[in-house]
């Protein structure tokens, strides 16, 4: 878990790369670099961001469940192992996750 950069993957498709910029436990704050696979999930993350802005707990829960159902994994750019994010948010070049 002490890697500082990961590929965000759904199955064999790479969604993007995350580069650790800060840790505010339990959150890992990162910059996000989209990859080709980003377009397949972008709308779900945009919906999550909009739901969070409204503060509607039901809408937030639904959007988080949609993202969780993607089966996303964080694969280190260097080294071995993988991290399964419990929660992940991506918005405007920034990402944060809990593992």
């Amino acid at each position: 878990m002490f890697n500082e950069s990961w590929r965000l993957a759904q199955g064999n498709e790479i969604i993007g790369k995350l580069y650790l910029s800060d840790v505010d436990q339990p959150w890992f704050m990162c910059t996000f670099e989209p990859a080709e696979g980003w377009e397949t999930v972008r709308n779900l993350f945009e919906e999550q961001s909009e739901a969070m802005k409204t503060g509607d707990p039901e809408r937030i829960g639904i959007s988080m469940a949609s993202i969780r159902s993607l089966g996303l994994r964080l694969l280190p750019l260097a080294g071995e192992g993988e991290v399964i994010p419990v929660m992940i948010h991506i918005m405007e070049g920034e990402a944060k996750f809990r593992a």
Side-chain angles (χ1 to χ4, degrees):
M1 175 61 140
F2 295 101
N3 289 292
E4 295 186 3
S5 53
W6 301 266
R7 290 171 303 206
L8 178 62
Q10 180 187 28
N12 292 325
E13 184 160 28
I14 302 301
I15 304 300
K17 294 178 183 173
L18 281 72
Y19 300 95
L20 187 65
S21 57
D22 196 12
V23 177
D24 184 10
Q25 283 293 348
W27 292 100
F28 292 81
M29 317 301 261
C30 304
T31 56
F32 177 72
E33 178 183 297
E36 192 171 309
W38 171 242
E39 292 305 317
T40 64
V41 298
R42 171 185 241 156
N43 63 325
L44 295 175
F45 283 97
E46 288 174 348
E47 171 56 31
Q48 180 187 53
S49 294
E50 289 301 315
M52 292 177 76
K53 287 177 188 174
T54 69
D56 179 346
E58 183 176 348
R59 189 172 167 196
I60 292 169
I62 290 168
S63 67
M64 290 177 72
S66 295
I67 290 171
R68 202 169 306 129
S69 72
L70 296 172
L72 299 175
R73 301 172 297 133
L74 293 167
L75 309 170
L77 290 178
E80 296 182 10
E82 71 178 32
V83 176
I84 306 298
V86 175
M87 286 190 253
I88 186 166
H89 306 288
I90 300 173
M91 183 175 69
E92 299 175 4
E94 304 276 326
K96 64 181 183 177
F97 70 92
R98 292 175 69 171

